[in-house]
Amino acid sequence: MFGFKKKKLELTMPVDGKIVSLAEVPDEVFSTGMMGQGFAIEPSSDEIYAPVAGTITNIFPTKHAISLKTKEGLELLLHLGLDTVELAGKPFEMFVSANQKVTPDTLLCKMDQSQITAAKKSTVVLVLVTSGEDITVTDVDSSLHGMTCGSVKIG
C-alpha cells in the first residue's frame, strides 16, 4: 500500500574457492536446508573473511562455526568444514571475538585445510542464513574473497 520495497543485502565470498549448491554438500543437515538456506564453497585458501558487515554474535568453542548478525537483523552462520567439531578447534586460528564488529575485509580466522583433510574431513565452507530469509546466489562464478556472490531480501 505504501510502496515499501524490500532491501537487498549483498553477500560476498568469505574465502577464495568455488561455489557449490547446498544440495551437493554430503551432509543432509546442510543439504536439505535444515540449518538454513545458503551456499557452500570448496575453498582454495585458508583465510576466512566475513561475508557481510555485522557483529560476531558467537564463536563456537571448537572454532568450527561463527555466527554474525547485520544491523538489518539478518543472522548468518559460517560453518567451516564438515564434522570438524570433532577436531576440537585445532585446525582453526581465530582473529576475532564475540561482539566484535566486522566487514567483508575482516579476516575472521585461518583454517588449516591440510589438518582437516589429514583427519579425513571435508573442508567445505558453508554460508547459511539462519534467520529465515531466502538467499539468492547471484554469481556462481565468483571465486575470490570479497566478490559479490549473493543477496538476501530483508525488511
Side-chain angles (χ1 to χ4, degrees):
M1 177 167 122
F2 294 104
F4 292 121
K5 291 174 90 174
K6 287 189 174 191
K7 290 180 12 180
K8 272 189 190 174
L9 184 66
E10 291 186 335
L11 301 177
T12 62
M13 292 282 287
V15 63
D16 295 350
K18 178 181 183 273
I19 292 179
V20 293
S21 165
L22 274 188
E24 296 176 42
V25 173
D27 183 322
E28 69 179 37
V29 169
F30 300 112
S31 64
T32 60
M34 276 191 252
M35 291 291 294
Q37 298 303 308
F39 57 93
I41 302 160
E42 293 173 356
S44 59
S45 168
D46 288 351
E47 296 182 339
I48 311 296
Y49 293 82
V52 292
T55 302
I56 302 292
T57 55
N58 189 31
I59 298 171
F60 286 68
T62 51
K63 304 177 188 174
H64 75 286
I66 303 168
S67 300
L68 299 104
K69 188 172 187 175
T70 69
K71 66 179 180 185
E72 297 85 1
L74 180 72
E75 295 175 20
L76 295 171
L77 176 69
L78 278 177
H79 195 280
L80 310 174
L82 298 179
D83 298 323
T84 50
V85 65
E86 298 167 9
L87 303 178
K90 289 181 182 77
F92 307 107
E93 180 182 3
M94 302 305 286
F95 299 108
V96 293
S97 56
N99 301 315
Q100 183 175 336
K101 293 200 181 313
V102 296
T103 71
D105 293 324
T106 305
L107 178 62
L108 303 180
C109 69
K110 285 190 178 175
M111 174 176 82
D112 187 337
Q113 293 183 67
S114 61
Q115 279 189 50
I116 295 169
T117 51
K120 299 190 178 357
K121 308 291 183 200
S122 169
T123 60
V124 69
V125 174
L126 302 155
V127 179
L128 305 167
V129 177
T130 57
S131 50
E133 294 85 354
D134 288 329
I135 186 170
T136 302
V137 175
T138 55
D139 188 357
V140 294
D141 294 324
S142 296
S143 61
L144 299 175
H145 134 69
M147 292 179 70
T148 299
C149 61
S151 65
V152 178
K153 287 185 181 173
I154 52 174

